[in-house]
Amino acid sequence: DVKVTQSSRYLVKRTGEKVFLECVQDMDHENMFWYRQDPGLGLRLIYFSYDVKMKEKGDIPEGYSVSREKKERFSLILESASTNQTSMYLCASSYSPYNEQFFGPGTRLTVL
Amino acid sequence: KNEVEQSPQNLTAQEGEFITINCSYSVGISALHWLQQHPGGGIVSLFMLSSGKKKHGRLIATINIQEKHSSLHITASHPRDSAVYICAVRGLIQGAQKLVFGQGTRLTINP
């Protein structure tokens, strides 16, 4: 079975802090995705990566950056956390962009 | 108007009832996904379909490409089916590698 893990289930940070969210998948998937999920807005794509060191902006990339140094690991970085980045963050991976995506358990981030 | 609309937003039913959740979309698509999210956050892919009908256990998903509409049915519903069900579509050409998600339908099955 595909396993996608995220570094934390719950995280509390202060405004202005640099925040790292890590995602690791164990199925040699080429494609990895970062989403945020907010009530009433559903899932929105922040960034995705289709290969090591390759990344593309999603629908809401502002305030975020990503890093993919190794195939299995995709990191989401909040350079200077703000309260409007309080959200549930979900990572996903897939064999190709056109296959089903496998999701991690999510990280609930609170920025105070 | 959202590209993907789900109805109803919330649904409460008794155990054993037949459940239908609807998804309408406004763009041409190459595939439609149904996902399930239990309390706590984890999302599981239920179906990926581009035409016709798929069945897995008590779950059935159908799609009508001409009408831009899909339904997810649950037969003999059970309290463990309580979850948020999310519809997502993949575009035809531009942005085909991205999914566009509906807002989800929260289903509660009472014993």
Side-chain angles (χ1 to χ4, degrees):
Chain A
D1 280 353
V2 176
K3 192 165 182 184
V4 181
T5 57
Q6 295 184 226
S7 49
S8 307
R9 291 301 304 273
Y10 300 93
L11 206 53
V12 179
K13 294 292 181 182
R14 297 215 172 267
T15 301
E17 280 193 76
K18 191 168 185 175
V19 182
F20 292 88
L21 302 181
E22 292 209 317
C23 174
V24 177
Q25 50 91 5
D26 65 358
M27 278 301 290
D28 203 35
H29 282 172
E30 300 285 343
N31 301 271
M32 298 188 75
F33 307 82
W34 273 108
Y35 298 96
R36 64 177 282 177
Q37 184 179 32
D38 300 288
L41 296 175
L43 280 139
R44 293 178 292 167
L45 181 65
I46 305 171
Y47 268 97
F48 68 100
S49 167
Y50 49 90
D51 201 353
V52 175
K53 296 191 187 292
M54 306 299 286
K55 61 188 180 186
E56 280 203 28
K57 292 180 180 179
D59 299 317
I60 50 164
E62 297 78 19
Y64 303 94
S65 62
V66 290
S67 172
R68 190 152 180 218
E69 296 295 321
K70 293 185 178 182
K71 192 174 186 180
E72 67 270 18
R73 190 180 297 269
F74 191 35
S75 301
L76 180 69
I77 303 154
L78 287 66
E79 296 289 342
S80 177
S82 63
T83 54
N84 63 11
Q85 292 178 310
T86 291
S87 186
M88 169 71 91
Y89 290 88
L90 288 144
C91 173
S93 73
S94 66
Y95 176 70
S96 86
Y98 311 104
N99 286 93
E100 68 173 308
Q101 293 183 14
F102 295 86
F103 286 81
T107 296
R108 189 167 294 281
L109 172 67
T110 301
V111 183
L112 301 175
Chain B
K1 187 179 187 300
N2 292 333
E3 288 184 25
V4 182
E5 297 274 357
Q6 289 185 234
S7 63
Q9 289 190 347
N10 294 282
L11 179 57
T12 300
Q14 291 299 121
E15 184 173 356
E17 285 189 42
F18 181 82
I19 302 299
T20 296
I21 298 170
N22 297 298
C23 176
S24 297
Y25 51 91
S26 57
V27 297
I29 66 167
S30 57
L32 182 143
H33 297 247
W34 281 103
L35 310 166
Q36 180 192 55
Q37 184 174 30
H38 278 286
I43 293 177
V44 174
S45 179
L46 297 175
F47 296 103
M48 184 174 73
L49 65 166
S50 54
S51 65
K53 177 178 171 178
K54 286 191 176 181
K55 185 175 189 288
H56 186 255
R58 295 180 294 107
L59 300 176
I60 304 165
T62 64
I63 188 168
N64 185 317
I65 296 294
Q66 287 73 28
E67 294 187 4
K68 292 186 169 61
H69 181 268
S70 175
S71 293
L72 177 68
H73 305 286
I74 304 175
T75 61
S77 60
H78 190 275
R80 65 174 174 266
D81 297 324
S82 298
V84 175
Y85 292 85
I86 302 169
C87 171
V89 302
R90 187 181 306 286
L92 268 175
I93 303 172
Q94 195 168 12
Q97 64 272 54
K98 298 189 292 184
L99 292 176
V100 178
F101 296 83
Q103 293 186 13
T105 295
R106 184 175 299 277
L107 174 66
T108 304
I109 305 295
N110 293 318

